[in-house]
Amino acid sequence: MSFSGTTPSGHEIIMDAAEEFGGQNTGARPTELLLHAVAGCTGIDIISILQKMRLNPVSFNMELNGTRADEHPKRFTAIHIHYSLEGDLPEEKVIRAIQLSMDKYCSVSKSLNAEITAGYSINGVKGKQHI
């Protein structure tokens, strides 16, 4: 139940099923990698957009929560991303960067058939707007 693959950029990825499904827990689950792919894609977008706005977050973290269908193929039906940023960052520019990633640039999230929503906090203060 363990699979490995090498990406075109030369990086090895190891996947495995949970032990209760015949795996040996030697790698990430494919669904875990899918959520990480969404995070990586949108994270790269947002940092790039903020840098173009001449803004540099001191720290940037994301928390993703996915809801899956009960029946096979048990696809993700909803994914929520919470972005936590620290630094001198105007709220309207953070919102704009998130919106651009979600609506235009993140090819991974646009490839999924799931409702994707986002929230944010800047310097520990939860944002007023739900994206």
Side-chain angles (χ1 to χ4, degrees):
M1 299 299 277
S2 178
F3 297 88
S4 67
T6 304
T7 66
S9 59
H11 299 280
E12 184 179 18
I13 296 174
I14 299 170
M15 294 172 275
D16 197 358
E19 291 174 356
E20 63 262 27
F21 298 112
Q24 296 178 354
N25 197 29
T26 60
R29 310 299 174 261
T31 51
E32 293 172 335
L33 291 174
L34 185 64
L35 285 181
H36 275 77
V38 170
C41 182
T42 190
I44 289 168
D45 289 344
I46 290 169
I47 292 299
S48 177
I49 293 164
L50 289 174
Q51 287 175 340
K52 288 176 184 169
M53 295 177 179
R54 300 188 188 278
L55 298 170
N56 293 301
V58 173
S59 71
F60 178 64
N61 295 289
M62 291 172 277
E63 182 178 320
L64 279 77
N65 293 302
T67 302
R68 295 179 62 191
D70 293 330
E71 301 296 322
H72 287 286
K74 296 186 180 182
R75 69 179 186 86
F76 283 104
T77 57
I79 297 169
H80 180 75
I81 308 166
H82 183 84
Y83 302 96
S84 297
L85 300 96
E86 299 282 334
D88 185 15
L89 304 164
E91 183 176 13
E92 67 277 359
K93 292 192 177 194
V94 169
I95 292 169
R96 182 69 179 141
I98 294 169
Q99 287 174 328
L100 282 169
S101 177
M102 292 184 66
D103 297 340
K104 185 174 184 178
Y105 293 115
C106 184
S107 58
V108 175
S109 65
K110 288 297 185 189
S111 298
L112 300 176
N113 183 17
E115 176 186 3
I116 301 176
T117 59
Y120 63 94
S121 58
I122 303 170
N123 299 319
V125 178
K126 188 174 179 181
K128 300 174 196 137
Q129 188 172 336
H130 186 72
I131 303 168

